[in-house]
Amino acid sequence: MIYAIILLGAIGIIFGIILGVVNKKLSVKTDPREEAIIDALPGANCGACGFAGCAACGAAIFNGEAPIDACPVGGPACAEAIAAILGVEASSAEPSIARVACNGSPDNAKTLYDYTGAKSCIVAKTSFNGQKMCDFSCFGFGSCAAACPFEAIDMVNGLPVVNRKKCTSCGICVSTCPQTLMHLVPRKQHVFVNCSNLIKGKAVMAACKVGCIKCKKCEKTCEFDAIHVTDVARIDYDKCTNCQACVAVCPTKCITVDTFTDDFSKAPKAEDTEPAGCSSCASRDTCQSKE
Amino acid sequence: MEVFGGLLTLLLTSMIVKNVVLSQFLGMCPFLGVSKKTENAIGMGMAVLVVLTISAALAWILYTFVLVPLELTFLKTIAFIIVIASLVQLVEMVLKKFSPGLYKSLGIFLPLITTNCAVLGVALLNIQNGYNFLETLFYSIGAALGFLIVLVIFSSIREKLELTNVPKAFKGLPIALITASVMSVAFMGFIGVL
């Protein structure tokens, strides 16, 4: 017994010494900043950045092959930390969040037939494009919720609801949804078109209470040229000021205001938003941009 | 000459007939993991060749001259693991210094050679089969070459599979596993040749 202990100890020590010596002799000079960047990354190795892992991502950032905000999970805090290490200014890395471009809960969207198959959106997609009458509707079986590695999606009333606190905008739900209803949008964006249908207005009305019927009222109302109805109403997030004028005019209420908050106690109302020329406050005395 | 003939037979046997991957099913993890690109497969095969040969030789020396005289043969598994782990660390350092490209492309699989059961398996098989030092060397080199050959063949097939119209359900690993099983059947055909 004592021999066994001594022997294993001896083998360990001998190899340890050899490795130590070799490590000194063959040490590769790595920049300590690269190590620091890898330490600054979340270390989840989720692969959302497109690299093999956090170490590969860190190396790519250090070598300038990836932007400093390459890690979508770490978000702006991570990008700032890396910027501090590299001595460059953090770009205005805009945090984003996943959103569902459909409001077709069982109450709103009509079903076409009784689906009794596996409770999976991917399976449902193969059965005559799902059970909903609208071909662009959320099936509501929660494949996105199951795929989310951060458990940030809950199924509420047959629709996925993204938890703002948990969502890291890794984009896994975006690639999972067979209907491509999930989108990554800027976190500060509060107004969002909750519809993805590309069919004609009349057919939409027959299928869903809250579908976009392409009436273009939002487009006419928007003062910032931020919303356009091409195949469906789409918001240009660079131009949108969250003034919510389009929300007010939308006859089907398919444009909604995100009521989930993380950085403010409540969703901003029209009068609370910054007066950047928004129509709703222009008439009031408080508007600073009024000339 | 007779001795040499015997050794050559041993080499070919361990390389083809008793192939570590396809006949003995050792080292499946790197077989499936590092076989997407032929370039990486060759690198991994070379790394395994070096680690496997040296570790088998060292393990044999350790077993014959240390463990047997001290009557501690029951320690062989854990002692061999120490040898293999240290060698892998060594290979990692050497690669990092002299071939950073290969070091990067092998990535996580390089430290995983530590847990590559082919390496430990061959070291233990040498002892189990009662080989002398020369036989150990030839058997180990043969096994490692067999690993290399199979990995290269498999990676070539997988590179071709990337471009073919594989049914969606079979894309990626499923078709790779089916291919591996067909290759295994093919290699089973060598049984009885030597």
Side-chain angles (χ1 to χ4, degrees):
Chain A
M1 183 61 200
I2 193 82
Y3 280 124
I5 295 167
I6 292 168
L7 181 81
L8 281 182
I11 296 174
I13 289 168
I14 291 167
F15 279 113
I17 291 169
I18 293 173
L19 283 179
V21 170
V22 173
N23 194 20
K24 268 270 186 273
K25 291 253 174 193
L26 291 181
S27 64
V28 181
K29 268 186 194 158
T30 46
D31 202 305
R33 288 182 296 171
E34 186 177 340
E35 305 277 324
I37 291 172
I38 293 167
D39 287 340
L41 290 167
N45 289 316
C46 64
C49 55
F51 293 99
C54 290
C57 180
I61 292 172
F62 179 71
N63 294 326
E65 290 155 12
I68 54 169
D69 56 343
C71 178
V73 176
C78 177
E80 269 167 35
I82 292 168
I85 294 162
L86 286 174
V88 293
E89 206 137 297
S91 64
S92 55
E94 204 165 80
S96 51
I97 188 172
R99 299 232 186 153
V100 195
C102 178
N103 203 10
S105 63
D107 308 334
N108 291 331
K110 285 179 193 149
T111 51
L112 195 60
Y113 63 90
D114 214 5
Y115 176 79
T116 52
K119 298 276 182 255
S120 155
C121 303
I122 294 132
V123 176
K125 175 85 177 168
T126 61
S127 317
F128 308 104
N129 209 12
Q131 81 284 24
K132 296 275 179 72
M133 199 182 264
C134 169
D135 278 345
F136 303 89
S137 172
C138 170
F139 300 146
F141 297 121
S143 284
C144 51
C148 180
F150 303 98
E151 293 177 358
I153 301 177
D154 301 309
M155 295 303 292
V156 178
N157 190 22
L159 277 179
V161 174
V162 179
N163 185 329
R164 284 183 72 99
K165 276 185 186 154
K166 288 181 182 171
C167 180
T168 62
S169 76
C170 68
I172 288 170
C173 55
V174 177
S175 53
T176 302
C177 180
Q179 296 285 72
T180 58
L181 296 174
M182 309 293 294
H183 299 282
L184 291 181
V185 302
R187 222 166 226 271
K188 65 172 173 56
Q189 183 68 24
H190 277 267
V191 179
F192 189 62
V193 180
N194 262 311
C195 188
S196 303
N197 83 74
L198 308 177
I199 42 181
K200 289 208 169 122
K202 208 174 175 188
V204 176
M205 276 163 101
C208 182
K209 283 186 205 165
V210 290
C212 173
I213 53 169
K214 287 92 179 167
C215 64
K216 298 204 176 187
K217 270 190 185 166
C218 48
E219 193 176 310
K220 283 168 201 152
T221 310
C222 185
E223 294 198 347
F224 309 102
D225 195 35
I227 187 161
H228 288 282
V229 179
T230 47
D231 35 14
V232 67
R234 290 183 200 276
I235 296 175
D236 185 340
Y237 300 126
D238 291 334
K239 290 180 184 164
C240 179
T241 59
N242 288 322
C243 74
Q244 303 178 20
C246 50
V247 180
V249 296
C250 180
T252 58
K253 304 286 170 218
C254 73
I255 307 174
T256 57
V257 183
D258 188 357
T259 50
F260 290 92
T261 53
D262 53 353
D263 30 14
F264 3 82
S265 55
K266 57 185 193 303
K269 286 181 190 137
E271 51 263 30
D272 293 340
T273 47
E274 279 296 306
C278 163
S279 62
S280 54
C281 63
S283 55
R284 266 181 275 131
D285 302 332
T286 49
C287 187
Q288 289 161 8
S289 66
K290 198 167 90 175
E291 289 174 37
Chain B
M1 199 62 211
E2 209 166 276
V3 178
F4 183 70
L7 288 176
L8 205 64
T9 312
L10 196 64
L11 184 87
L12 288 175
T13 307
S14 67
M15 193 159 95
I16 297 169
V17 182
K18 280 190 181 171
N19 189 288
V20 268
V21 181
L22 295 179
S23 298
Q24 308 195 49
F25 309 114
L26 294 169
M28 298 306 292
C29 167
F31 178 63
L32 290 166
V34 205
S35 55
K36 272 188 185 153
K37 278 191 203 156
T38 308
E39 197 185 323
N40 291 358
I42 293 170
M44 182 69 177
M46 289 296 181
V48 168
L49 179 67
V50 172
V51 172
L52 201 153
T53 313
I54 300 175
S55 68
L58 276 182
W60 189 88
I61 293 168
L62 188 73
Y63 184 82
T64 315
F65 297 113
V66 182
L67 295 183
V68 172
L70 289 175
E71 293 178 350
L72 290 172
T73 51
F74 64 91
L75 279 179
K76 61 177 185 285
T77 308
I78 194 162
F80 290 1
I81 288 172
I82 299 175
V83 172
I84 293 164
S86 311
L87 267 171
V88 170
Q89 289 284 307
L90 207 70
V91 170
E92 201 178 341
M93 286 175 200
V94 171
L95 275 185
K96 199 173 182 182
K97 174 87 177 172
F98 296 110
S99 178
L102 185 60
Y103 173 79
K104 259 187 200 162
S105 62
L106 286 179
I108 186 74
F109 288 102
L110 194 53
L112 275 183
I113 299 179
T114 315
T115 49
N116 184 344
C117 43
V119 180
L120 182 65
V122 169
L124 287 172
L125 276 175
N126 286 325
I127 305 300
Q128 197 183 323
N129 294 344
Y131 291 147
N132 63 33
F133 188 68
L134 260 184
E135 285 170 336
T136 296
L137 266 186
F138 273 76
Y139 187 84
S140 314
I141 293 172
L145 282 178
F147 182 82
L148 174 67
I149 289 170
V150 166
L151 208 62
V152 170
I153 296 174
F154 191 52
S155 64
S156 319
I157 297 174
R158 279 186 84 174
E159 278 189 354
K160 288 218 168 27
L161 280 177
E162 285 284 308
L163 304 170
T164 50
N165 191 14
V166 179
K168 205 177 176 186
F170 288 113
K171 263 195 180 134
L173 269 186
I175 192 74
L177 281 166
I178 292 168
T179 314
S181 69
V182 174
M183 274 178 74
S184 181
V185 171
F187 267 72
M188 292 290 181
F190 287 116
I191 290 174
V193 172
L194 285 171

